[in-house]
Amino acid sequence: MFIGRKRELQFLEDKYNSKGGQLIVLYGRRRVGKTETLREFCKGKRHIFYSCREVSDKLQLRSFSEKLLKENIPAASYIKEFSEWERRL
């Protein structure tokens, strides 16, 4: 059960519904509900939820590739893993 965070959820919803791309950095102390707030916000929306870990850049990219390419996106039909973060397909 998710309780509270109405203001934060409304902020995310407003940004989600606005025109143009958005980058929102969510930070705070450990164990205060950042991940659960994002999970609640994502309910009912088409999304990919990926949390970074403290690993090497190469392992991070491999993990991200696996997560993203499991989804039904066009790139999944012709690549198995992204070779770098910046390269455009």
Side-chain angles (χ1 to χ4, degrees):
M1 177 169 35
F2 187 84
I3 299 172
R5 303 285 183 165
K6 289 181 183 177
R7 190 177 77 206
E8 291 89 342
L9 290 171
Q10 188 59 56
F11 170 81
L12 292 171
E13 196 66 39
D14 291 346
K15 295 300 179 186
Y16 179 76
N17 290 319
S18 67
K19 293 189 181 228
Q22 299 287 327
L23 170 66
I24 298 169
V25 177
L26 183 64
Y27 66 94
R29 294 187 321 269
R30 296 179 63 221
R31 318 258 334 139
V32 295
K34 297 178 298 292
T35 300
E36 287 307 310
T37 300
L38 290 175
R39 289 188 194 282
E40 183 69 18
F41 168 72
C42 288
K43 284 183 180 175
K45 295 176 178 73
R46 190 166 181 227
H47 69 281
I48 297 171
F49 193 95
Y50 180 76
S51 295
C52 295
R53 302 174 318 193
E54 288 189 44
V55 296
S56 70
D57 190 54
K58 184 176 180 176
L59 288 175
Q60 192 77 260
L61 183 57
R62 181 179 300 147
S63 176
F64 176 75
S65 296
E66 288 172 6
K67 178 82 170 185
L68 186 64
L69 295 172
K70 284 181 183 176
E71 303 299 319
N72 187 20
I73 63 169
S77 63
Y78 57 90
I79 66 170
K80 300 295 179 210
E81 183 175 315
F82 294 103
S83 60
E84 57 185 296
W85 291 104
E86 300 292 328
R87 185 172 174 225
R88 294 178 185 250
L89 298 176

